[in-house]
């Protein structure tokens, strides 16, 4: 397979590990060891990386790539993002699970169906997924990707529906603007499936 036409980020290469070309790799798969199941991984510039050995190591995996045999070669790869084509990922997840790549670009609508903006990225800072949304006439806002804030996702129809109050886009009943501390990151996070982070 050549460079992905519809890339989904699977991992990012970190620091070299030892002197034999091994690397610490942060994965965005539900099961870190599954990174080896997707075949070749590709950098943004089209370089292909084939995993020949992988093992768990705390919060990352230690990977040996074909052709990377010493620490100098490994160090040169630090920070390289690794992708597969979207077509390589299964579509058999739960109804309320989504790949980050599938959410980016969706139109954001309110509960009346009016268009508010677009999803430009999906983040996860440790408290659950957050949609980065650009609203018409406003800078980007962050919306918690919970059932309350985003009650409907229609990949096929190209939109997500948000509840403006739960999403923090309107003032609360007391007329006070919702603040960051009002956000409950434990409120039923949704998705992603095993892969597809866009970090």
């Amino acid at each position: 397979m050549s460079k992905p036409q519809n890339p989904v980020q699977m991992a990012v290469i970190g620091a070299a590990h030892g002197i034999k070309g091994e690397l610490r790799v942060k994965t965005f798969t539900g099961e870190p060891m599954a990174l080896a199941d997707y075949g070749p991984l590709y950098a943004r510039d089209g370089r292909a990386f084939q995993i020949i050995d992988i093992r768990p190591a705390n919060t990352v995996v230690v990977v040996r790539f074909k052709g990377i045999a010493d620490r100098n070669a490994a160090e040169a790869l630090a920070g390289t993002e690794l992708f597969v084509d979207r077509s390589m990922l299964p579509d058999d997840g739960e109804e309320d699970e989504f790949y980050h790549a599938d959410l980016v670009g969706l139109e954001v609508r309110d509960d009346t169906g009016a268009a508010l903006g677009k999803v430009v990225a999906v983040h996860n800072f440790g408290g659950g997924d957050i949609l980065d949304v650009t609203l018409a006439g406003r800078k980007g806002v962050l919306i918690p990707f919970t059932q309350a804030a985003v009650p409907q996702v229609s990949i096929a129809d190209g939109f997500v529906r948000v509840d403006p109050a739960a999403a923090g886009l309107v003032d609360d009943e007391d007329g006070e603007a919702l603040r960051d501390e009002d956000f409950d990151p434990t409120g039923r996070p949704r998705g992603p499936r095993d892969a597809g982070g866009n970090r």
Side-chain angles (χ1 to χ4, degrees):
M1 182 178 176
S2 59
K3 180 178 175 181
Q5 299 303 304
N6 187 8
V8 175
Q9 187 176 356
M10 303 296 286
V12 61
I13 297 175
H17 182 82
I19 60 171
K20 297 182 179 179
E22 291 183 317
L23 287 145
R24 297 170 61 83
V25 175
K26 178 182 178 182
T27 71
F28 303 125
T29 56
E31 167 53 50
M33 296 292 287
L35 185 66
D37 298 340
Y38 295 95
L41 303 167
Y42 294 86
R44 288 189 188 276
D45 61 9
R47 286 177 295 160
F49 293 88
Q50 181 180 338
I51 295 174
I52 57 175
D53 187 48
I54 185 171
R55 66 179 191 275
N58 297 324
T59 60
V60 298
V61 290
V62 173
V63 174
R64 183 186 308 265
F65 293 108
K66 184 176 183 179
I68 306 300
D70 61 51
R71 187 173 182 89
N72 288 340
E75 287 176 343
L77 297 176
T80 302
E81 298 171 327
L82 300 175
F83 301 83
V84 297
D85 193 82
R86 173 67 179 82
S87 64
M88 299 294 293
L89 304 177
D91 281 321
D92 58 359
E94 298 295 323
E95 183 178 339
D96 62 350
E97 292 182 328
F98 308 93
Y99 292 115
H100 288 178
D102 291 342
L103 297 170
V104 174
L106 294 183
E107 184 177 69
V108 178
R109 300 179 184 173
D110 66 13
D111 43 13
T112 68
L116 300 176
K118 284 194 178 298
V119 178
V120 294
V122 182
H123 306 288
N124 189 317
F125 303 111
D129 289 325
I130 299 172
L131 301 183
D132 189 343
V133 175
T134 298
L135 301 179
R138 295 168 71 180
K139 290 186 177 180
V141 297
L142 299 178
I143 296 175
F145 191 45
T146 61
Q147 184 68 42
V150 188
Q152 182 182 7
V153 176
S154 179
I155 303 294
D157 295 322
F159 75 91
V160 298
R161 182 171 60 84
V162 300
D163 178 317
L169 300 179
V170 297
D171 291 346
D172 67 14
E173 294 174 1
D174 299 327
E176 295 181 12
L178 294 175
R179 304 166 307 242
D180 288 344
E181 54 266 31
D182 296 323
F183 168 59
D184 176 11
T186 62
R188 191 171 172 246
R190 303 170 61 181
R193 289 192 191 150
D194 283 354
N198 53 356
R199 331 311 138 117

